[in-house]
Amino acid sequence: MTAPPDPVLRNIVTRLHRSRTPTSALAEAARIPLGRLEQVLHGEAPLLVMDATSIAFALGMTAAELFAAAQPLPVAPPERLAYSLPAFADAVCLSVTTVKKAIDRGELLARYPTPAGRKPIVTREDGLRWLEELRTQP
């Protein structure tokens, strides 16, 4: 059997193999129907939090052992509406100087949200439009 992709389930399966506990005995100790436990262990059913804690307790695992190497789910940051010049340059993998030159040539539109007009920003739409208008190599 290949290692499960879920790190919590992988920790449970590893501990189960090391303990040499029969699956039927684990199901009884964790108070989970044997068929459901087998589905969970083979990745055919989701591992519920209450199942994971029951199984871990039955196997004598601590919370640290159960959740070792578990990574938080990645959360996509919200799309930005506008960028400072350094942030825009970083987003398009160019230097700030190149971005400023594009603004000076009138190719890229910079907006000034403050009355003093000291901190230019590039909106997402303006930045995308500029990228689409860049020349392509033949």
Side-chain angles (χ1 to χ4, degrees):
M1 171 174 25
T2 61
D6 177 7
V8 174
L9 183 57
R10 188 172 45 244
N11 292 342
I12 288 172
V13 170
T14 300
R15 176 59 73 95
L16 178 61
H17 288 305
R18 286 184 186 155
S19 71
R20 298 183 184 195
T21 303
T23 308
S24 57
L26 179 60
E28 185 177 327
R31 298 177 187 238
I32 299 172
L34 179 59
R36 165 121 175 91
L37 179 61
E38 288 177 341
Q39 288 178 330
V40 167
L41 294 176
H42 291 100
E44 298 165 359
L47 175 65
L48 304 176
V49 173
M50 65 181 194
D51 291 344
T53 54
S54 296
I55 295 167
F57 183 76
L59 289 171
M61 296 175 74
T62 65
E65 292 171 323
L66 177 62
F67 296 108
Q71 299 294 320
L73 293 175
V75 177
E79 287 192 42
R80 292 178 130 187
L81 297 176
Y83 298 84
S84 65
L85 295 189
F88 181 75
D90 187 49
V92 295
C93 300
L94 295 171
S95 69
V96 175
T97 303
T98 301
V99 170
K100 285 182 178 179
K101 286 180 182 179
I103 292 168
D104 292 343
R105 288 190 304 263
E107 298 170 0
L108 176 60
L109 182 61
R111 299 175 188 265
Y112 297 85
T114 61
R118 292 189 182 155
K119 186 176 178 184
I121 61 171
V122 176
T123 65
R124 179 177 48 209
E125 291 78 17
D126 292 336
L128 289 171
R129 189 176 311 111
W130 177 68
L131 289 170
E132 288 295 322
E133 292 173 358
L134 291 176
R135 65 183 175 89
T136 58
Q137 190 173 6

